[in-house]
Amino acid sequence: MTKRALITGSSTGIGFEYARYLSNKGWDLDLISQHKSRSMESKKKLSCEKAQFHIFDLGKKDSINSIINNFETPDLIVANAGIAINGAIGDIKQDEKEYYYYLMCGGVIDLIEGFIPKILHKKNGRIVIISSIGAKVSMPKSSLYSSIKAGIYAYGKSISTELKNQNISVTVSLPGYVKTEAHERAGLDHLLKKVPNWMWVTPEQVVMETEKASLKGKLEIIPGKVYKIVKPFLNLKIAVSIWKMITKRN
Ligand SMILES: NC(=O)c1ccc[n+]([C@@H]2O[C@H](COP(=O)([O-])OP(=O)(O)OC[C@H]3O[C@@H](n4cnc5c(N)ncnc54)[C@H](OP(=O)(O)O)[C@@H]3O)[C@@H](O)[C@H]2O)c1
């Protein structure tokens, strides 16, 4: 029987590559993004008859409710939609903070919890959450982003353990710098020049490693060789200083 995946944030970057990867394997896809024109562009690029393209603002509760109530129960949820957030402490307005929190944390929890009873009923399923290495390291001037990604990482880890014996795997992916449109869209394009090449991972690499980890039922994955090497040192003072120097975050 054909498997069905629901991917959020599928128009570009990691979400698009996830859609491409699964479409090549014959999956049925429900692909969600926010902007119609970008969604249409991705539809042309993907050229997959088994994919349905949907437009929702996932920073809004109504969108999540509508997806839960109207979509077929997926065999795989890839909770990926998100944006980079640039802002020093106190710089981000209250309504923006709440919106970002819902988009990348609260809304992801609502989406997963909306589908969980139906997935449990099917007695089989996988959930992939795209968090960030920012959940584990200090990110000055991106503290809100870091806290949101840490929140959804903690949630994913906990439900992964909770659902372990019910044939449902939950994997949290924690990528470092990935070459997508995210930085440019957040006005962080200077990072594309300042962060050295060896620190960048491709979206294809993120998808390949994340999907492999999910199929093995692993709780978390940090894609890319370089990040695997530095993983044990991430919270050492010296590592944080080097990270700040390389990425020019002061
Ligand atoms: N790039 C990195 O270095 C990096 C590192 C670690 C983690 N991540 C995480 O990876 C995920 C994917 O990011 P990316 O790098 O692939 O960025 P991207 O290329 O900019 O793609 C972001 C996707 O999310 C969708 N999206 C954003 N806001 C949305 C909203 N309110 N409602 C519905 N869809 C929305 C976008 O849709 P539209 O095109 O319609 O706006 C787009 O499809 C994010 O959660 C990000 O935090 C990225």
Side-chain angles (χ1 to χ4, degrees), residues 8-16 32-36 38-39 55-60 79-84 99 103-104 130-134 145 149 173-183 185 200-201 203:
T8 69
S10 56
S11 61
T12 54
I14 299 168
F16 178 77
I32 303 172
S33 61
Q34 186 182 15
H35 296 102
K36 187 137 199 219
R38 293 166 62 88
S39 172
I55 303 298
F56 285 101
D57 180 352
L58 298 169
K60 295 186 174 155
N80 160 79
I83 50 172
Y99 177 83
L103 173 62
M104 291 186 277
I130 309 293
S131 170
S132 159
I133 204 156
Y145 180 79
K149 291 298 189 180
S173 184
L174 303 142
Y177 286 105
V178 189
K179 277 255 160 83
T180 66
E181 297 179 14
H183 302 97
R185 289 171 92 179
W200 292 95
V201 179

Side-chain angles (χ1 to χ4, degrees), residues 129 131-133 135-136 149 153 172-176 220-223:
I129 296 170
S131 170
S132 159
I133 204 156
K136 286 182 178 264
K149 291 298 189 180
Y153 169 52
V172 186
S173 184
L174 303 142
E220 69 176 69
I221 172 79
I222 301 185

